[in-house]
């Protein structure tokens, strides 16, 4: 019988172990028994970071990439001590190396008694007050608590294209020798990674599209603008007498936007895009980013500490309305790319090697070509790369473990995507009832927690869970001893 089984040992799973270690060390209580499950190819590094190419970078500064609040600067210190590097935007592979070293340190410390299973869990069954877990190698264990840290596990956004010649869903499938133009679906961070890989490995012309037509934005050197209207204090005060928190949030956001009508970057940037002056769009944003003059970005970034609290206060209907009203804006303007990456977009755009489009409809596959209708033209390609990040629709999942959990009603889908979880305890919940002992932390809780595409947020969730669980663990041990 294990105290905790961690299913999935990527960045979030490793952070969970590190923070469990911190809490157990503080209390000096009995040594918990932990089982960890993950296939060997991604063990203690995960897919988000370990399955990247050397060219792919993180878009979060090292100061926000710590696995534990106990050592907030540890990743930056590790970079300098290991590589003599003070990079602002290190590669994902380097972060993967850091995760792997963190896990080695946790295991070597011996504060947690960890047993490794280098396999995928295919079944979790509720057995009274505990769970039985089976992996794809036939191993079977029991655990009182199960924490799933499985990553995104997204479904293909274009299932009809699977198996079609020229369809790409992973960077290793890109034909570097091809001279044919490339169509990339998406305009967010995953799509930018796809662009950078193709741009660095070949001379092909690259076209990116999205339904919204938004184009990547540039990360400012520092946040200088302080919001006047859209603040957490104003939101709380205004919603004290209102049932519709989304309307309050929208009103304050619009007031802030109106205040920035002259000096904000959003209006002039979108004007350049509408006039098809794409290269000027990139140059304008990069110049302003270098001068720390992106107040609209500063407004959206200011929501980082409290957005998940506001999301928790929204009703399900309000969450869906938010996604419809602001989802595309948030994806493009709240998740900008580093300046050096933006420089590559400028270079590619100036040489006519990259274009962004707004799609009027989903692409079609006709006569061995992928056809896209945009606002200005209809274009076709032999090569199509899905870089949307996929869909977190649990109802359509093909992942065996999630299918098994759905059949048992141990999990259910959230209307905004992913697994329905309690936002305070991270317990899976079905029909408004919590499943005792079964938890999920990470991107699969996106619909419930909003910010789970950011590692810093998942690490914070892991810290909260570790603190809660260790208190229960200590109480249980005290009762047993008495």
């Amino acid at each position: 019988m294990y105290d905790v089984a961690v299913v999935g040992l990527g960045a979030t799973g490793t952070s969970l172990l590190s923070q469990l270690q911190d809490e157990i060390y503080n209390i000096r209580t009995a040594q918990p028994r932990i089982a960890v499950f993950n296939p060997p190819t991604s063990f203690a590094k995960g897919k988000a970071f370990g399955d990247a190419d050397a060219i792919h970078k993180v878009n979060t500064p090292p100061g926000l990439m710590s696995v534990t609040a106990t050592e907030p600067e540890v990743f930056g210190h590790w970079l300098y001590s290991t590589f003599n590097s003070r990079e602002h935007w290190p590669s994902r592979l380097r972060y993967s190396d850091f995760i792997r070293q963190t896990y080695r340190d946790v295991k070597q410390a011996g504060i947690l008694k960890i047993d490794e299973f280098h396999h995928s869990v295919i079944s979790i069954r509720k057995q009274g007050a505990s769970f039985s877990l089976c992996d794809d190698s036939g191993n079977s264990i029991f655990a009182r608590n199960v924490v799933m840290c499985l990553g995104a596990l997204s479904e293909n956004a274009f299932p009809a294209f699977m198996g079609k010649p020229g369809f790409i869903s992973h960077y290793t499938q890109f034909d570097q020798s091809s001279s044919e133009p490339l169509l990339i679906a998406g305009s967010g961070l995953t799509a930018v990674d796809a662009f950078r890989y193709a741009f660095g490995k070949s001379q092909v012309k690259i076209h990116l599209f999205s339904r919204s037509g938004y184009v990547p934005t540039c990360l400012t050197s520092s946040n200088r603008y302080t919001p006047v209207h859209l603040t957490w204090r104003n939101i709380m005060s205004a919603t004290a007498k209102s049932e519709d928190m989304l309307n309050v949030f929208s009103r304050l956001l619009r007031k802030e936007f109106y205040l920035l009508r002259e000096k904000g970057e959003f209006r002039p940037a979108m004007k350049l895009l509408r006039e098809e002056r794409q290269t000027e769009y990139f140059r304008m944003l990069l110049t302003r980013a270098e001068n720390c003059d992106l107040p609209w970005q500063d407004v959206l970034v200011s929501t980082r500490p409290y957005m998940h609290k506001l999301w928790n206060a929204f009703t399900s209907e309000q969450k869906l309305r938010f996604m419809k009203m602001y989802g595309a804006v948030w994806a493009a303007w709240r998740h900008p790319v580093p300046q050096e990456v933006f420089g590559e977009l400028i270079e590619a755009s100036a040489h006519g090697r990259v274009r962004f489009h707004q799609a009027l409809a989903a692409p079609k596959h006709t006569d061995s070509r992928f056809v896209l209708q945009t606002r200005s033209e209809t274009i076709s390609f032999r090569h199509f790369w899905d870089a949307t990040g996929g869909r977190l629709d649990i109802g359509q999942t093909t992942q065996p473990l999630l299918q098994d959990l759905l059949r048992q009603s141990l999990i259910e889908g959230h209307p905004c995507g992913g697994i329905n979880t309690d936002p305070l305890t991270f317990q899976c919940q079905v029909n408004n009832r919590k499943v005792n002992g079964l938890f999920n932390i990470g991107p699969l809780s996106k619909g419930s927690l909003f910010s789970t595409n950011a590692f810093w947020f998942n690490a914070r969730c892991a810290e909260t869970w570790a603190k809660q669980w260790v208190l229960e663990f200590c109480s249980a041990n005290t009762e047993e001893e008495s």
Side-chain angles (χ1 to χ4, degrees):
M1 178 65 72
Y2 288 89
D3 296 300
V4 178
V6 179
V7 182
L9 193 64
T12 300
T14 301
S15 175
L16 182 71
L17 292 178
S18 181
Q19 304 204 69
L20 272 174
Q21 175 186 251
D22 293 348
E23 297 304 318
I24 291 294
Y25 178 81
N26 287 341
I27 297 174
R28 301 286 181 142
T29 187
Q31 186 182 44
R33 295 190 66 202
I34 314 290
V36 295
F37 290 85
N38 202 94
T41 53
S42 57
F43 195 91
K45 57 181 180 179
K47 290 187 176 180
F49 300 104
D51 191 31
D53 182 72
I55 199 172
H56 295 147
K57 293 181 175 293
V58 300
N59 75 316
T60 305
L64 283 175
M65 297 294 284
S66 175
V67 295
T68 169
T70 306
E71 295 181 292
E73 302 295 331
V74 67
F75 178 47
H77 294 160
W78 178 85
L79 272 176
Y80 184 70
S81 62
T82 307
F83 300 103
N84 195 28
S85 167
R86 296 194 186 277
E87 292 177 271
H88 287 295
W89 318 109
S91 74
R92 292 190 181 191
L93 288 178
R94 284 214 168 156
Y95 192 70
S96 172
D97 291 339
F98 168 70
I99 291 296
R100 194 157 49 242
Q101 183 60 54
T102 298
Y103 174 72
R104 291 194 198 106
D105 293 343
V106 169
K107 185 153 191 205
Q108 186 176 5
I111 294 171
L112 307 176
K113 186 177 181 182
I114 299 174
D115 287 343
E116 299 177 357
F117 297 88
H118 293 251
H119 303 283
S120 296
V121 172
I122 57 172
S123 125
I124 298 174
R125 296 272 192 276
K126 186 77 168 150
Q127 302 276 357
S130 61
F131 296 86
S132 65
L133 295 84
C134 295
D135 66 24
D136 55 11
S137 185
N139 295 308
S140 180
I141 69 149
F142 289 90
R144 295 184 179 90
N145 297 274
V146 177
V147 186
M148 298 185 291
C149 302
L150 296 167
L153 290 186
S154 56
E155 295 302 306
N156 197 311
F158 302 94
F161 294 167
M162 287 294 290
K164 301 288 186 185
F167 180 69
I168 302 168
S169 58
H170 191 271
Y171 71 87
T172 55
Q173 298 169 334
F174 175 68
D175 183 1
Q176 300 179 23
S177 64
S178 174
S179 59
E180 290 270 353
L182 172 67
L183 179 63
I184 297 177
S187 60
L189 301 178
T190 304
V192 170
D193 281 346
F195 152 76
R196 295 189 68 230
Y197 187 85
F199 182 66
K201 302 288 185 180
S202 71
Q203 293 299 313
V204 301
K205 291 187 176 180
I206 303 166
H207 297 251
L208 296 93
F209 77 91
S210 64
R211 287 174 296 176
S212 66
Y214 286 123
V215 175
T217 56
C218 187
L219 201 58
T220 185
S221 296
S222 69
N223 303 114
R224 299 280 180 87
Y225 177 78
T226 303
V228 176
H229 302 290
L230 189 70
T231 67
W232 179 238
R233 191 173 297 277
N234 287 346
I235 291 171
M236 285 195 297
S237 299
T239 54
K241 299 179 181 178
S242 172
E243 292 296 321
D244 196 333
M245 297 190 71
L246 179 57
N247 279 348
V248 170
F249 175 81
S250 296
R251 176 170 56 81
L252 294 175
L253 182 66
R254 287 195 298 269
K255 288 180 71 173
E256 201 71 58
F257 185 74
Y258 184 75
L259 193 63
L260 294 173
R261 64 191 182 281
E262 299 296 334
K263 64 178 181 179
E265 73 275 17
F266 185 87
R267 289 175 185 269
M270 296 308 295
K271 182 175 184 292
L272 291 173
L273 280 186
R274 285 193 295 269
E275 296 171 355
E276 298 188 356
R277 296 156 65 188
Q278 180 181 281
T279 306
E280 292 177 61
Y281 166 94
F282 289 128
R283 284 179 173 151
M284 185 269 286
L285 285 181
L286 178 60
T287 299
R288 293 187 64 152
E290 292 171 339
N291 294 324
C292 308
D293 184 25
L294 294 177
W296 178 241
Q297 182 182 134
D298 295 349
V299 170
L300 298 186
V301 169
S302 73
T303 67
R304 176 190 283 161
Y306 64 76
M307 196 62 208
H308 63 286
K309 294 179 182 292
L310 188 63
W311 186 257
N312 185 28
F314 286 164
T315 65
S316 293
E317 187 271 336
Q318 289 169 356
K319 289 175 182 176
L320 290 169
R321 277 170 50 206
F322 177 92
M323 295 305 297
K324 186 176 181 179
M325 294 165 61
Y326 302 116
V329 172
W330 229 257
W333 286 83
R334 173 61 190 85
H335 301 284
V337 299
Q339 292 178 20
E340 59 191 76
V341 175
F342 218 67
E344 294 174 15
L345 287 167
I346 293 175
E347 178 189 349
S349 183
H351 288 87
R353 284 192 54 196
V354 67
R355 283 186 63 192
F356 287 82
H357 305 275
Q358 182 173 8
L360 293 183
K364 298 179 180 179
H365 190 262
T366 307
D367 297 328
S368 299
R369 298 186 73 87
F370 301 94
V371 181
L372 179 73
Q373 184 181 2
T374 73
R375 284 193 169 276
S376 58
E377 59 186 322
T378 299
I379 47 182
S380 69
F381 302 82
R382 290 195 181 277
H383 303 289
F384 177 87
W385 189 333
D386 175 15
T388 60
R391 300 170 297 130
L392 286 177
D393 184 357
I394 299 303
Q396 303 297 318
T397 185
T398 57
Q399 210 277 339
L401 176 59
L402 297 184
Q403 288 179 334
D404 182 60
L405 292 170
L406 282 169
R407 280 192 296 267
Q408 300 178 73
S409 295
L410 290 177
I411 63 170
E412 68 178 7
H414 189 281
C416 295
I419 294 174
N420 189 12
T421 58
D422 183 279
L424 299 178
T425 64
F426 316 111
Q427 279 178 287
C428 298
Q429 52 187 15
V430 179
N431 295 326
N432 294 319
R433 296 183 64 181
K434 298 180 182 62
V435 180
N436 290 330
L438 183 63
F439 305 85
N440 186 81
I441 298 177
L444 276 179
S445 292
K446 180 179 180 180
S448 300
L449 296 171
F450 185 70
S451 298
T452 55
N453 63 328
F455 173 70
W456 68 266
F457 181 77
N458 295 328
R460 180 183 294 178
C461 293
E463 178 186 21
T464 302
W465 187 89
K467 289 179 181 297
Q468 292 173 348
W469 181 80
V470 168
L471 286 176
E472 295 174 7
F473 179 68
C474 293
S475 298
N477 274 339
T478 301
E479 290 177 8
E480 287 179 11
E481 290 172 0
S482 60

